[in-house]
Amino acid sequence: WEWQKADFDAREFARQKRESEGVWQDPAAMEQTLAERLAEIDWPRETLVDFDLGEDARTIAVDIDLPGEEEMPDRLWRLPANRLRLSSRRLSTTRQRKLYRDHVHGIAFRVLGAVFARLPRVEEARISGYRQVPDPATGGERDQYLFSAKVSRRQWEQIHFDRLDEVAPVQALAAFTLRRDMTRTGIFRDIEPFKLI
């Protein structure tokens, strides 16, 4: 037990040192710290995040492989006050699309939070979200980018995190430099994502 505790303490000391000092100068420490943080997030649907630090480690490009729209719930379940039995109601297509819209923007918002909280040297993040859709030209699948945003640390710090329940991720992303072609009801069209320069 003492050997295991000493081993655990050594690993924790190394992690804390990496997260407090290494993230300021060592790109490998930055990558490991962010990868560990993103792996800790318990996404409700399968969500894969890939990132690439810029040459000077002051910029980062993040690509998010989003879940498909068909993975959103199609029913609303309620427990009426006067009965102990669940009742369900089918959601309209528009309501399902709006749920999906809110979900994918929330994912981007959460990933941006992890980037700016764990990597203090990063000054600008370029975050893009895509999903796989059928490709009628080949019969296979292709990546459809839904949004792409450039977010500076200064812009990110303008958000009032003490009133986070009042922040809507859809509108929050629109406050940054954003490429998104989306209707009011949540129908997305292809966009060209920002690249890390």
Side-chain angles (χ1 to χ4, degrees), residues 2 7 23 38 44 54 56 72 90 106 124 144 148 152-153 155 158 164 180 192:
E2 289 178 1
D7 189 44
V23 293
L38 293 173
D56 62 353
M72 290 293 102
R90 187 153 187 79
E124 182 181 277
Q144 178 191 31
S148 188
S152 71
R153 181 174 292 279
Q155 290 173 312
Q158 299 297 314
L164 204 52
R180 175 181 69 196
E192 185 67 31

Side-chain angles (χ1 to χ4, degrees), residues 20-100:
S20 62
E21 297 172 18
V23 293
W24 286 98
Q25 66 233 1
D26 183 9
M30 293 172 76
E31 287 179 8
Q32 184 177 356
T33 298
L34 184 58
E36 286 176 0
R37 177 62 193 121
L38 293 173
E40 291 171 357
I41 299 174
D42 188 20
W43 301 110
R45 302 282 184 267
E46 183 179 16
T47 303
L48 305 173
V49 182
D50 190 27
F51 61 89
D52 184 28
L53 285 167
E55 302 234 348
D56 62 353
R58 295 204 177 278
T59 57
I60 189 170
V62 182
D63 255 6
I64 307 172
D65 186 354
L66 300 164
E69 197 170 350
E70 69 282 352
E71 295 181 54
M72 290 293 102
D74 63 347
R75 302 189 87 58
L76 176 65
W77 293 88
R78 292 182 182 218
L79 183 63
N82 56 358
R83 293 192 322 217
L84 292 175
R85 195 171 130 207
L86 282 174
S87 64
S88 71
R89 179 172 53 95
R90 187 153 187 79
L91 294 174
S92 69
T93 305
T94 301
R95 181 68 182 125
Q96 283 180 283
R97 282 196 306 261
K98 286 181 178 180
L99 276 175
Y100 184 71

Side-chain angles (χ1 to χ4, degrees), residues 149-196:
K150 288 185 199 177
V151 184
S152 71
R153 181 174 292 279
R154 199 178 99 259
Q155 290 173 312
W156 183 253
E157 290 171 350
Q158 299 297 314
I159 296 171
H160 293 274
F161 292 102
D162 56 333
R163 298 191 316 233
L164 204 52
D165 56 333
E166 297 175 25
V167 176
V170 176
Q171 285 80 21
L173 277 185
F176 308 126
T177 304
L178 177 68
R179 289 183 185 167
R180 175 181 69 196
D181 189 356
M182 179 186 76
T183 66
R184 284 184 307 125
T185 59
I187 297 173
F188 289 95
R189 294 182 196 91
D190 290 6
I191 58 107
E192 185 67 31
F194 290 114
K195 303 291 184 206
L196 184 63

